[in-house]
Amino acid sequence: MQNLWQSALHHIDVSEGTNVLEGVREIYRECRLEQDNNRLTLIVPNGFVSRLVSGRHQESILKACRTLLARENLEFSIRVSEEKKKPRKTREESRKDALPIKENSSEKLAGAEWNNHLISRYQFENYVVGESNRFAHAAAYQVSENPGKSYNPFYIYGGVGLGKTHLVNAVGNAILKKFPGKKLLYLTTESFLNEMVNAIKFNKMSEFRERYRSIDVLIVDDIQFLSNKERTQEEFFHTFNTLFESGKQIILTSDCPPNEIVTLEERLRSRFSSGLIADIQIPDFETKVAILSEKMRQEGINLSEDVIFFLATSIKSNIRELEGAMIRLGAYQTLMGKPVTIDVTRRLLSNLIQNASMPLHTELIMNEVAAFYKVTPKEIRSKKRNRSIAIARHVAVYLMRDLTQMSFPEIGREMGGRDHSTAIYAFRTVDENRDTDAILSRDIEILRRKLLQSL
């Protein structure tokens, strides 16, 4: 069941965010999962891990396993391994562990013990570029080539799960490849806050400041969480100034531009805005397909083209949900030994797929379009290419995609067994011409209104 355990951890990463399991991945690698009918038992190395799972991650683990196995009646329990347990740490050792700063912080910075916290799997090589992220990617690559010189600070914003974390980690990994002597740190704003609280608690603020103000590249994820935290904003302001004035690279991510972060001090807002700001948008269909193909290659998952196109068409919110859906389907295919079809996909992902139930029957769309353009449904599905039939065909494809959320392969088959690329071309032709062709735009609105009134 180790494959299920690893799949569950990965599912939590992609569905709830990589920071959910931050700091416990190495510990959880020592665990294993056993299954007896509908009962799952997680074998943990000691009581500490048992309390960690039950207190923080049990619900996420059980939810992931139920999703991956497509079983809602699974039960979950935790058992401490009977193997020899490690000796308990002394109170002083536990106290030191509570604060991830050594007595001699400068020695840590100079030595091999420095932990940059980068996610090694996030590289430029496996970052899929499309129109939605091309500018951000180009700027990020330039920063990796000339840290502290090209764009500083570098601020990336975009919605949840669109690839900001991947991109800034790719920058960090590329910098260390080109400049292995650089001291680099990647962390979330929450981690910065927690370390500062511990530093205050244990009277270690001088070491805390030295840790952050003696590095060459600082990457902070989710900077919007500085909102409403006055003491943390004060400390981060001085850290930012020290690094910036020393020519050190600062990279920040957020879910919104600096001027939209609520209760952010004006002096921080102006500094965040002083460099290059790049946004990442929701990817288009082709980029989603490319991302899915790359992720399947990485994960060793093999889904059919129909299913890939259906996912790219149906899941609109973010890449994280798209990857989570792919992982779930891959796990189902592996663990259940059954092929993943469109129907299986609809059933397993009913909670994710938006408006994919096809409320309008394709035949109704075909008949309305044919009557409007004074042709027959048979002619629309035929190989004829005269202008009136071609326009009707393109409009029918556009409306099927717009009103039913069918995948392009499904539309292609409905249009007389055509290839999905033909359906994509027809949809794009109409979509691109609507803004400049007033007659086409009017025709589509008339047809949409008629079809929606028939529901």
Side-chain angles (χ1 to χ4, degrees):
M1 296 298 292
Q2 200 62 11
N3 286 341
L4 175 59
W5 175 233
Q6 296 303 323
S7 294
L9 295 180
H10 188 69
H11 186 277
I12 294 171
D13 268 349
V14 297
S15 62
E16 301 186 29
T18 55
N19 61 327
V20 173
L21 300 177
E22 186 175 1
V24 299
R25 287 182 177 80
E26 290 298 324
I27 298 173
Y28 282 1
R29 284 199 182 102
E30 301 177 29
C31 304
R32 68 179 189 275
L33 198 60
E34 294 181 352
Q35 181 179 6
D36 182 13
N37 293 323
N38 286 328
R39 172 168 289 278
L40 294 173
T41 303
L42 184 65
I43 312 300
V44 299
N46 51 53
F48 168 76
V49 179
S50 175
R51 291 189 296 274
L52 184 65
V53 172
S54 60
R56 293 176 57 186
H57 300 125
Q58 180 168 327
E59 288 187 10
S60 295
I61 293 169
L62 182 55
K63 180 181 176 181
C65 290
R66 284 174 171 169
T67 298
L68 292 169
L69 294 173
R71 296 183 186 178
E72 290 299 323
N73 61 341
L74 285 176
E75 298 178 359
F76 183 81
S77 62
I78 306 169
R79 189 174 79 235
V80 177
S81 172
E82 296 301 321
E83 297 175 9
K84 186 178 179 179
K85 300 177 178 59
K86 297 180 180 179
R88 294 184 63 183
K89 293 183 178 180
T90 65
R91 184 175 181 179
E92 180 62 21
E93 289 172 330
S94 298
R95 174 183 172 277
K96 289 180 179 178
D97 282 349
L99 181 64
I101 303 172
K102 290 199 170 185
E103 291 295 327
N104 191 338
S105 186
S106 61
E107 288 182 7
K108 180 177 180 181
L109 284 167
E113 296 179 16
W114 175 255
N115 185 355
N116 55 50
H117 298 295
L118 285 172
I119 304 173
S120 60
R121 71 177 182 273
Y122 289 156
Q123 305 282 342
F124 279 124
E125 290 76 12
N126 56 23
Y127 186 81
V128 178
V129 181
E131 289 305 314
S132 58
N133 58 16
R134 192 177 303 281
F135 175 68
H137 173 268
Y141 187 81
Q142 185 63 31
V143 168
S144 74
E145 291 288 300
N146 300 284
K149 298 177 182 178
S150 292
Y151 306 114
N152 197 26
F154 180 40
Y155 187 104
I156 305 174
Y157 74 92
V160 175
L162 295 183
K164 301 185 298 295
T165 296
H166 186 150
L167 190 55
V168 296
N169 274 273
V171 174
N173 286 312
I175 288 174
L176 290 185
K177 285 179 184 177
K178 187 169 184 177
F179 309 98
K182 293 244 181 231
K183 303 183 187 83
L184 182 149
L185 179 65
Y186 163 80
L187 78 165
T188 63
T189 301
E190 183 182 11
S191 296
F192 181 86
L193 172 63
N194 291 339
E195 286 194 29
M196 195 181 91
V197 169
N198 279 329
I200 295 171
K201 181 178 179 180
F202 294 107
N203 195 27
K204 295 280 187 179
M205 280 305 292
S206 60
E207 288 90 340
F208 173 85
R209 287 168 181 147
E210 183 180 3
R211 168 178 167 82
Y212 281 97
R213 299 177 192 181
S214 302
I215 57 180
D216 299 309
V217 181
L218 177 63
I219 305 173
V220 184
D221 224 343
D222 293 324
I223 200 67
Q224 74 272 9
F225 290 124
L226 279 181
S227 178
N228 293 318
K229 298 176 177 64
E230 293 181 6
R231 176 69 187 275
T232 309
Q233 288 190 36
E234 174 78 20
E235 193 62 42
F236 191 80
F237 171 79
H238 293 299
T239 297
F240 185 103
N241 275 355
T242 300
L243 294 177
F244 183 79
E245 290 169 4
S246 301
K248 309 302 184 182
Q249 181 69 53
I250 302 166
I251 303 173
L252 308 171
T253 78
S254 175
D255 62 359
C256 61
N259 61 357
E260 293 181 14
I261 301 179
V262 181
T263 69
L264 183 68
E265 291 183 10
E266 184 57 38
R267 57 182 180 173
L268 275 176
R269 184 178 286 112
S270 65
R271 279 159 177 76
F272 292 172
S273 303
S274 64
L276 178 65
I277 300 177
D279 70 324
I280 298 178
Q281 301 290 335
I282 295 175
D284 55 22
F285 172 79
E286 289 82 2
T287 306
K288 286 181 182 179
V289 170
I291 289 170
L292 282 172
S293 299
E294 172 63 21
K295 293 296 180 181
M296 287 197 306
R297 184 191 66 77
Q298 294 174 21
E299 301 293 336
I301 295 173
N302 184 24
L303 299 177
S304 70
E305 191 177 68
D306 280 11
V307 171
I308 295 171
F309 288 149
F310 181 78
L311 291 178
T313 300
S314 303
I315 298 179
K316 299 180 178 297
S317 53
N318 60 60
I319 299 304
R320 190 171 296 153
E321 285 193 354
L322 195 65
E323 292 178 10
M326 179 205 69
I327 293 294
R328 182 173 180 180
L329 295 177
Y332 176 89
Q333 189 169 256
T334 300
L335 297 171
M336 306 304 290
K338 297 179 180 178
V340 175
T341 63
I342 295 290
D343 288 339
V344 169
T345 302
R346 290 185 194 278
R347 177 169 57 83
L348 291 179
L349 304 180
S350 58
N351 61 321
L352 284 178
I353 296 174
Q354 302 170 359
N355 301 321
S357 56
M358 288 187 273
L360 281 170
H361 196 279
T362 55
E363 203 60 41
L364 175 61
I365 295 174
M366 188 72 76
N367 289 336
E368 283 288 352
V369 172
F372 186 86
Y373 286 102
K374 295 180 173 54
V375 296
T376 67
K378 184 177 180 180
E379 286 176 318
I380 292 177
R381 292 187 173 100
S382 72
K383 303 295 183 181
K384 294 180 180 179
R385 296 185 179 182
N386 55 297
R387 180 173 172 75
S388 59
I389 293 175
I391 292 174
R393 184 179 298 131
H394 287 181
V395 169
V397 168
Y398 182 86
L399 290 171
M400 285 183 191
R401 172 67 182 85
D402 184 47
L403 297 176
T404 72
Q405 297 297 301
M406 292 169 66
S407 69
F408 285 115
E410 288 176 314
I411 294 174
R413 286 193 293 270
E414 184 63 34
M415 298 301 294
R418 285 175 164 82
D419 186 77
H420 69 273
S421 59
T422 304
I424 293 173
Y425 172 78
F427 177 84
R428 275 186 167 178
T429 298
V430 175
D431 194 43
E432 291 171 0
N433 289 336
R434 282 193 65 184
D435 292 336
T436 56
D437 189 334
I439 295 176
L440 177 64
S441 181
R442 182 205 62 194
D443 291 350
I444 289 173
E445 288 307 313
I446 291 172
L447 284 164
R448 283 184 93 259
R449 198 157 45 244
K450 283 185 178 181
L451 288 164
L452 292 174
Q453 287 173 353
S454 67
L455 289 177

